[in-house]
Amino acid sequence: MIVRDLAEAEKTNRRIVSPDGNWESTRLLLKDDNMGFSFHITTIYEGADFQMHYQNHLESVFCMSGEGEVETLVDGKRYPIKPGTVYILDKHDEHVLRAFKQMKMACVFNPPLNGKEVHNTDGAYELEAEPVTG
Ligand code: 9YT
């Protein structure tokens, strides 16, 4: 069994701060744990408004706190996000995420992330990103 603590993990290189200033993510479970998915606690900073397109991954996102919306770009539909909302990008949906108040999200990725991924210019994560160490 693997047991980890968020507050402890936040003090390590499992905590990734996005260079775009929109979010940070502490990656509690990663590819080298061999679970077939990764699990992260992500903070979307208040005022963030950015586009993503996970062409190489499927992602589920559960809102634990805060307020915002997600928009699917294929149809322009906007879905409010509040604590208890989950959105599931089952079609590699291109989307925009907006945080009206800082949001805490629990995120699951399949295939699992290696560790150091940040968005490329398409808003995707590359499959060959660097793992975290230690
Ligand atoms: C909700 C979302 O996709 N935010 C970007 C960060 C991502 N969840 C991650 O890498 O943990």
Side-chain angles (χ1 to χ4, degrees), residues 72-88:
T72 40
L73 293 187
V74 71
D75 54 10
K77 281 192 185 164
R78 294 175 178 213
Y79 302 87
I81 299 173
K82 61 182 188 346
T85 305
V86 63
Y87 66 87
I88 299 161

Side-chain angles (χ1 to χ4, degrees), residues 42 44 47-52 61 68-71 81 87 95-99 103 105:
T42 298
I44 310 292
D49 182 333
F50 62 110
Q51 197 167 321
M52 289 170 276
V61 182
E69 70 177 15
V70 60
E71 176 176 349
I81 299 173
Y87 66 87
H95 62 291
V96 171
L97 184 61
R98 303 185 181 96
M103 297 193 289
M105 316 296 240

